[in-house]
Amino acid sequence: MLRRLLMVFLISTVLGGCSWASSHETYDDETIAKAEASTQNYIKSNFKEIQSVTITNVSQNEMGGMTVEGSVNNGEGTFSAGIENDFSVGSVGVSETFPDRKEDCMERTCTYEH
């Protein structure tokens, strides 16, 4: 009985360690640079009156995808963007103070380099 309990404990520890390691992935500099550039291009192409885009964080989200967070126009508004495997922006959430979308980009995403 004690042997089985010890075996369950060891397996749980090993699996838990693997799960923790995979959920705390870090990205190399090239990957981060591509994600940042794509996000900046997306924001500038799809929103009105963007003078500057500042990236504050690039991380792996709970589902294993990449998230880029930042602000625009010296902190006027903040955003969080979900990045796809091809470095396109799959989703974006913006603060209430974020600039409005461009008219042409309301129904569909405007073209941007990613």
Side-chain angles (χ1 to χ4, degrees), residues 10-50:
L10 288 174
I11 290 171
S12 297
T13 302
V14 169
L15 291 177
C18 291
S19 173
W20 181 84
S22 67
S23 69
H24 290 82
E25 181 180 331
T26 56
Y27 298 104
D28 61 47
D29 292 340
E30 181 181 357
T31 301
I32 290 171
K34 287 180 181 179
E36 288 177 345
S38 177
T39 303
Q40 289 174 343
N41 291 336
Y42 176 90
I43 297 291
K44 288 177 182 177
S45 296
N46 286 275
F47 292 90
K48 296 178 185 175
E49 302 171 6
I50 302 294

Side-chain angles (χ1 to χ4, degrees), residues 20-95:
W20 181 84
S22 67
S23 69
H24 290 82
E25 181 180 331
T26 56
Y27 298 104
D28 61 47
D29 292 340
E30 181 181 357
T31 301
I32 290 171
K34 287 180 181 179
E36 288 177 345
S38 177
T39 303
Q40 289 174 343
N41 291 336
Y42 176 90
I43 297 291
K44 288 177 182 177
S45 296
N46 286 275
F47 292 90
K48 296 178 185 175
E49 302 171 6
I50 302 294
Q51 286 87 39
S52 65
V53 179
T54 304
I55 305 298
T56 57
N57 189 37
V58 177
S59 61
Q60 185 178 40
N61 62 36
E62 296 83 23
M63 298 299 291
M66 182 184 286
T67 299
V68 175
E69 298 172 337
S71 64
V72 296
N73 303 342
N74 298 315
E76 176 185 318
T78 59
F79 66 87
S80 178
I83 307 300
E84 301 293 332
N85 290 337
D86 66 353
F87 296 101
S88 64
V89 174
S91 63
V92 65
V94 298
S95 65

